[in-house]
Structures are given as structure tokens and as C-alpha cells.
Amino acid sequence: MNLHEYQGKEMLASFGVRIQRGIVATTPAEAVAAAKKLTEETGTGWHVIKAQVHAGGRGKGGGVKLAKNLEQVEEIAGQIIGMNLVTPQTSAEGKKVHQVLIAEDVYYPGDNEPEEYYMSVLLNRGTGRNMIMYSTEGGMDIETVAEETPHLIFTEEIDPATGLLPFQARKIAFNLGLSGTAFKEMTKFVASLYKAYVSTDSSLFEINPVLKTSDDKIMAVDSKVSLDENALFRHKDLAALRDEREENPVEVEAKAVGLNYVDLDGNVGCMVNGAGLAMATMDLIKQAGGEPANFLDVGGTADAERVEIAFDLILKDPNVKAILVNIFGGIVRCDRVAQGIVDAYKNMGNIEVPIIVRLQGTNADIAKELIDNSGLDVQSAVEFQEAADKVQAVLA
Ligand code: GDP
Ligand code: MN
């Protein structure tokens, strides 16, 4: 589960991470009030208005703008709130902006130039350890840095038995070329950031840029925080920060009815019981030359009601041109599933794509007969490969 920038920053601040301060607003009037309050608290005259959507690259898409007075705060907030923000990380339609963060301008000029660094904390799945990834080349696409100048990206792995050790934080500050106050600030920043990562059971932090201000403070200007959903049960406060408006609506609906659905780009809808069989089914569809439109595990009970809910979810995706049902009847009897499919099909009355059904296990032969004699645009298959081939045939 992802947090908004402002939510991530507030959480980080609660662990002692220095952040660019800000107040969230949903209307231009609230934005002006927020800017006034920030001026009182921080003395800043200028403010940055930042679209709060779950996507990076907002700066490039016109979702991050500097306001030099309150009139500009009102005007820019008015432009950004309600817009469909298109960034390199969104779809072509973009993401609707419901709220903006009014933040203090921290790029104030001084003797030293402000410097932008990149820092992330994530799990290295190869070694099974957390690591801090960092670079002097912050502010820009880290993907480009990784491609063109990979030697400018450093990593520091953390031993779970000891946690982050002080020498590691110093090494990071040193590799970033810091000295004096900024060096000390960075070691504190890294230690607090790592503490926040572990304490919140996060799966990814990405802070780009981490800023060295002209007066040598180190702070998070941006935050991307992904929490491990499997650990949310022990972080009720963080779980409450979920913003369903940012998530795929079909996935949200599926979750509400207890189904495991993940939206994908292809055109073959999949309805399968068991996550392993669902993965194998997607593999087979690909091997046969198709592309799965979704991952869907309908679980143990595949009665008419459940099948109908599943069909309904799958068909919400306009790209779906065929549906492959692949169910193993162990505890659930195949004939009951087949009857469920036939009943759901008739009951819905609006299914316009062909359905291929493969049922294996208890009473599979009765199930096949039920499907074959249904008179509907539903084909049965016995073997896995046969099912995938039939799907390709109806798409051709
Ligand atoms: P992203 O584009 O979605 O990653 O959003 P960021 O929060 O990283 O902001 C994009 C860019 O806006 C940063 O890289 C900065 O260059 C700029 N920016 C952010 N905060 C400030 C600020 O306080 N003052 C100025 N002048 N620029 C800022
Ligand atoms: Mn950023």
C-alpha cells in the first residue's frame, strides 16, 4: 500500500527525519490559509504547490510549482486541484488531483548551492537483507543514472542482527561528499530514515530529492512510501491512511468481496481457484501466444453467486475478449462449479465474449457434459494445453 507524499513525510517526521514542512489542502482557499500558517511557522515567503497523487515525475507533468506570493498560491492551487495530472508514471489519461501539499520553499539561495541527493531503502531479495541505495545524482530519474552512470549509485546492506551501524551512516555521508554540519545531519537523517523503515514494516522508501540546504540542513523534499500490506494489521494508524481513490477501482471492489484480483494489460480474462494454478494459467496463456487480462483467484467456493461476481469483475475490463476458467475440483465438486458457471451466465444475460472452461477433479466428466449441453457460448476443455489453444482459436 502506498502513501501520499504528505502522509509519508508526516510519518518520517515522527521518527525524527527532517522534512520540508507542508500542509495539505483541498481548495484554493485552504491553500492560502496553509501558506499563511507556514509563513508564520517557518518564515518562508515562497511556497511550492505539489499535487498529491500516487505517481512520481509530478514535477515534469506540471504538478509541482513555485508560488512567490499568496495570489500565486491561490492561482496555482486552483490550476492543480481537479486537473488530470499526466506524468511519465501515469497512464495517458493521468491521475485526478484531489489535494495539494503547500510546502515551504527550501531552495533558498545562500553561500552554498542547494544539493539534491537520491536515497531509498528497500529489501534486496537476492541477499534477503535491507539495503540503503543512494546517489549524489538526486532530483532526476534514478533510472537514467543507473543506465548511464551506474558507478554513481552506492548501496549499503544492513545485517538484520545488528541493524544499521553508526559507521555505515558515516560511510554514506562520506560517499555523498559531505563534511562538517551537513555530514552530521546526514548521519542522523540516515539513522532516522532506517528506523522509520523497519518500525513501519515498509517495503520501499524512496526520497528523491534529499536536499542539502544552503545552510547545511539535510531534509526530505519528496517521499514515496510503500508499506507491506501483510504487516498492516499491526499498524492500524497507517492502514487508515489508505486512499482508495488512487487504486484500481476493480481491485478495490474485488478486495471488498474477498477476491484476489490484479489487473493486467492483456485480453484473456482468467478465473482460477488457487494462486499457484492462477500463476500457471497465466504462464500457459502466454505460452500459447496470448496475454492475460488479470490474475484472479476465486478461492475454494466457486458457486453460482461467486462465479457471477468474478465474471462481473473480469468483464469490467473492456479489453477482455475471452475468458478462461481453470478450476481444480478437489473439495469443491466440478459439477457444482459447472452448474454455477451455467447459472451465472444465464443470470447475467450480458456476456458477449466466449468462455473456455477447464474443470478437473471430482465429477469432471459430469461437469463437461453440463457445459457441452448448455447451449451457451461456453466451450469445455480437458487438458490444460487444449484450454489455452482453444482460447487462442477464439481470439484468432
Ligand atoms: P516528483 O517530480 O513527483 O518527484 O516531485 P518532487 O517532490 O521530487 O519535486 C520535483 C522537483 O520540484 C524537485 O526535484 C525540485 O527540483 C522541485 N522542488 C521541490 N521542492 C522545492 C522547493 O521548495 N523549492 C523549489 N524551488 N523547488 C522545489
Ligand atoms: Mn521526487
Side-chain angles (χ1 to χ4, degrees):
M1 176 187 133
N2 294 332
L3 297 185
H4 281 294
E5 175 195 359
Y6 77 93
Q7 296 169 327
K9 278 175 161 174
E10 277 167 22
M11 180 274 284
L12 292 176
S14 75
F15 286 93
V17 178
R18 190 192 290 283
I19 55 161
Q20 173 195 40
R21 291 172 63 185
I23 300 171
V24 75
T26 53
T27 64
E30 275 179 29
V32 172
K36 281 185 184 154
K37 191 148 180 264
L38 276 176
T39 302
E40 274 168 30
E41 285 174 11
T42 68
T44 185
W46 293 3
H47 299 88
V48 243
I49 320 295
K50 312 181 79 177
Q52 297 300 289
V53 290
H54 287 187
R58 295 164 303 162
K60 281 186 198 138
V64 178
K65 286 192 172 147
L66 185 65
K68 298 186 176 173
N69 54 50
L70 292 178
E71 288 75 45
Q72 286 182 4
V73 169
E74 189 171 12
E75 189 190 326
I76 296 169
Q79 286 164 5
I80 296 182
I81 297 168
M83 83 187 282
N84 274 327
L85 181 63
V86 180
T87 85
Q89 292 183 21
T90 67
S91 66
E93 303 102 74
K95 284 210 144 182
K96 178 126 180 142
V97 182
H98 299 283
Q99 45 193 0
V100 287
L101 180 65
I102 312 302
E104 58 172 331
D105 173 31
V106 284
Y107 284 58
Y108 32 83
D111 296 339
N112 307 310
E113 278 305 302
E115 290 251 20
E116 293 179 319
Y117 311 112
Y118 171 93
M119 190 170 292
S120 57
V121 190
L122 67 163
L123 176 67
N124 179 344
R125 288 172 194 275
T127 60
R129 292 182 172 193
N130 290 328
M131 67 178 182
I132 298 176
M133 193 182 285
Y134 60 103
S135 174
T136 48
E137 309 306 291
M140 57 173 96
D141 283 343
I142 199 67
E143 292 79 8
T144 312
V145 181
E147 238 165 67
E148 291 169 10
T149 49
H151 60 282
L152 295 178
I153 298 181
F154 301 92
T155 56
E156 187 67 30
E157 289 225 351
I158 292 116
D159 186 331
T162 60
L164 178 78
L165 293 170
F167 88 88
Q168 295 182 292
R170 290 199 296 271
K171 185 167 145 200
I172 292 171
F174 179 81
N175 281 338
L176 289 172
L178 299 172
S179 59
T181 309
F183 185 97
K184 281 201 202 100
E185 277 263 326
M186 184 58 86
T187 57
K188 191 166 159 267
F189 183 92
V190 171
S192 313
L193 191 71
Y194 190 69
K195 182 155 184 271
Y197 179 84
V198 174
S199 308
T200 55
D201 291 310
S202 283
S203 50
L204 173 72
F205 277 4
E206 190 177 50
I207 315 296
N208 189 22
V210 172
L211 187 77
K212 176 169 80 74
T213 62
S214 51
D215 58 355
D216 281 344
K217 291 195 181 91
I218 300 294
M219 66 168 68
V221 165
D222 192 5
S223 87
K224 176 179 167 103
V225 170
S226 298
L227 304 164
D228 181 347
E229 305 226 350
N230 292 317
L232 277 181
F233 72 93
R234 52 186 194 189
H235 301 286
K236 297 272 184 312
D237 49 336
L238 295 172
L241 299 178
R242 167 162 251 136
D243 186 349
E244 289 190 341
R245 295 174 300 187
E246 296 292 325
E247 297 174 16
N248 180 301
V250 185
E251 290 179 10
V252 172
E253 213 182 311
K255 198 171 285 168
V257 293
L259 286 177
N260 228 327
Y261 174 98
V262 181
D263 189 47
L264 299 168
D265 293 333
N267 57 3
V268 183
C270 307
M271 185 179 133
V272 190
N273 68 340
L277 188 57
M279 302 288 274
T281 304
M282 298 194 307
D283 282 349
L284 207 80
I285 289 171
K286 280 202 148 219
Q287 230 176 54
E291 287 290 336
N294 66 277
F295 167 96
L296 174 60
D297 171 12
V298 287
T301 48
D303 54 10
E305 195 191 348
R306 202 134 177 99
V307 169
E308 195 171 323
I309 293 171
F311 278 157
D312 192 54
L313 286 171
I314 293 171
L315 290 167
K316 288 216 157 93
D317 180 348
N319 295 326
V320 169
K321 297 288 177 284
I323 297 176
L324 172 56
V325 179
N326 191 11
I327 289 188
F328 177 75
I331 294 168
V332 51
R333 279 170 22 217
C334 292
D335 55 318
R336 290 200 52 189
V337 177
Q339 193 59 53
I341 292 169
V342 171
D343 291 349
Y345 194 107
K346 287 184 179 157
N347 199 32
M348 290 174 76
N350 61 347
I351 298 184
E352 285 163 4
V353 300
I355 299 180
I356 318 299
V357 179
R358 173 182 181 255
L359 291 164
Q360 274 291 11
T362 313
N363 291 353
D365 42 349
I366 306 175
K368 184 169 167 15
E369 250 170 65
L370 257 165
I371 298 287
D372 290 342
N373 298 331
S374 69
L376 306 171
D377 190 4
V378 183
Q379 302 181 33
S380 65
V382 177
E383 297 303 329
F384 209 158
Q385 186 64 51
E386 179 193 355
D389 290 343
K390 282 192 169 168
V391 169
Q392 281 316 106
V394 298
L395 289 177

